[in-house]
Amino acid sequence: MDEWRMKPIGHVRSPYTDVQQIPKGLGAQHAAEGTIEILPEFEAGLLDIEGFSHLLVLWVFHQVEGFELVVTPPADTRPHGVFATRAPWRPNPIALTVVELQGRAGSVLRIRGVDMLDGTPVLDIKPYTSNVPPEQLRRGWLADAEDRKARQ
Amino acid sequence: MDEWRMKPIGHVRSPYTDVQQIPKGLGAQHAAEGTIEILPEFEAGLLDIEGFSHLLVLWVFHQVEGFELVVTPPADTRPHGVFATRAPWRPNPIALTVVELQGRAGSVLRIRGVDMLDGTPVLDIKPYTSNVPPEQLRRGWLADAEDRKARQ
């Protein structure tokens, strides 16, 4: 059977020690600062990363067990398929956050835009290199929920 | 030891059967069309996904074994840390592609922007909901390589 084993390349240091502290829902701002401490054996993989202003960080919802296929996310009062949301109860508990890279000191990346718990395992980091043309972007139920909130 | 087991939620159907066929390097266009066939047991997780124009698809470099920490990517003649590239030889062989969602029929998503091999296992799908402000985006060695190419 197809199965892949993933191990941490490092861990997040964050001001958040409880999920209740992490801003969620419509208009949530992720301005918190923290670091990613890469394991020493992977530090060489960071060469030239400081040239990028933003990184895609893939990490594990390590405190979540099991999954739900239909969820009601914090940004809405209506249920949606889990693959149409960022909810943590996913078949593969992988999360993705775009963070701003503020600096690097050896194996430690200083980042802004943290929405992870302290101690979160990181699986991968990739450079953020391009946007979707804004005029082509449709945001489904999220845009609808924002519209409803704006009319309240 | 920390370790997570990931299983496919579905597979990509693509015109590419060999990695040599996939456009790579500076200016590569990813206009190919294909589908993602979600496994029947996960179809309910697609509810409302058709409202989004673009999806983040997380998939496995399933034909790659082992990893390299410093790589010379197709877009450059100079070596960079693997976490500053999209190269496939990563400690955790997870890939990320932004695709355009063209339609859905049950458990099948029609997509544009395929850069995966036919049969590629998909681990997760998330809605694409926001861009980095273009004036804040710095693209490191990739911008340098583009500049050098433009001056040739």
Side-chain angles (χ1 to χ4, degrees):
Chain A
M1 144 126 229
D2 283 349
E3 186 178 273
W4 289 269
R5 297 181 181 204
M6 307 288 177
K7 296 179 182 179
I9 61 164
H11 297 85
V12 175
R13 294 299 157 211
S14 151
Y16 303 126
T17 55
D18 185 300
V19 289
Q20 302 300 322
Q21 301 167 333
I22 304 174
K24 288 185 191 61
L26 291 181
Q29 298 289 319
H30 294 291
E33 298 184 3
T35 60
I36 301 175
E37 299 178 358
I38 298 295
L39 296 170
E41 61 266 38
F42 298 121
E43 179 179 337
L46 298 176
L47 178 67
D48 296 336
I49 203 167
E50 51 270 45
F52 293 89
S53 59
H54 293 76
L55 303 176
L56 296 152
V57 181
L58 302 183
W59 49 280
V60 181
F61 291 112
H62 65 302
Q63 294 198 344
V64 173
E65 297 204 9
F67 66 91
E68 301 282 343
L69 290 178
V70 177
V71 299
T72 300
D76 204 356
T77 54
R78 304 178 182 189
H80 306 287
V82 70
F83 301 125
T85 78
R86 302 289 187 110
W89 302 279
R90 320 183 74 81
N92 292 301
I94 309 177
L96 173 65
T97 302
V98 176
V99 301
E100 188 183 337
L101 177 61
Q102 300 194 298
R104 173 186 166 203
S107 62
V108 178
L109 302 176
R110 285 190 300 112
I111 59 174
R112 183 170 184 277
V114 170
D115 64 353
M116 309 84 151
L117 286 175
D118 188 53
T120 290
V122 173
L123 295 181
D124 200 11
I125 298 174
K126 301 177 194 292
Y128 187 106
T129 57
S130 66
N131 283 328
V132 168
E135 69 278 10
Q136 296 178 15
L137 192 60
R138 283 185 302 110
R139 300 164 61 252
W141 66 261
L142 185 58
D144 295 342
E146 288 172 354
D147 288 348
R148 284 199 303 277
K149 188 181 181 190
R151 285 198 307 268
Q152 278 174 0
Chain B
M1 142 126 234
D2 283 349
E3 184 178 275
W4 289 270
R5 296 181 183 207
M6 307 289 177
K7 296 180 183 180
I9 61 163
H11 297 85
V12 175
R13 294 298 158 212
S14 151
Y16 303 126
T17 55
D18 185 301
V19 290
Q20 301 301 324
Q21 300 167 333
I22 304 174
K24 290 185 190 64
L26 292 181
Q29 299 290 318
H30 294 291
E33 299 184 0
T35 61
I36 301 175
E37 298 178 358
I38 298 295
L39 295 170
E41 62 266 38
F42 298 121
E43 179 179 337
L46 299 177
L47 179 66
D48 296 337
I49 202 166
E50 50 270 44
F52 293 89
S53 59
H54 292 76
L55 303 176
L56 296 151
V57 181
L58 302 183
W59 48 280
V60 181
F61 290 113
H62 65 302
Q63 295 198 344
V64 173
E65 297 202 10
F67 66 89
E68 301 282 343
L69 290 178
V70 178
V71 299
T72 301
D76 203 356
T77 54
R78 303 176 182 190
H80 307 287
V82 69
F83 302 125
T85 78
R86 301 290 187 109
W89 303 279
R90 320 183 73 81
N92 291 301
I94 309 177
L96 172 65
T97 302
V98 176
V99 300
E100 187 183 337
L101 177 60
Q102 299 194 299
R104 174 189 165 202
S107 62
V108 178
L109 302 175
R110 284 189 301 113
I111 59 173
R112 184 170 183 276
V114 170
D115 65 351
M116 310 83 151
L117 285 174
D118 189 53
T120 290
V122 173
L123 295 181
D124 199 11
I125 297 175
K126 302 176 192 292
Y128 187 107
T129 57
S130 66
N131 284 326
V132 167
E135 69 278 9
Q136 295 178 15
L137 191 59
R138 283 185 302 109
R139 301 165 61 252
W141 65 260
L142 185 57
D144 294 342
E146 288 172 353
D147 288 349
R148 283 199 303 277
K149 189 182 181 190
R151 287 197 307 268
Q152 277 174 359

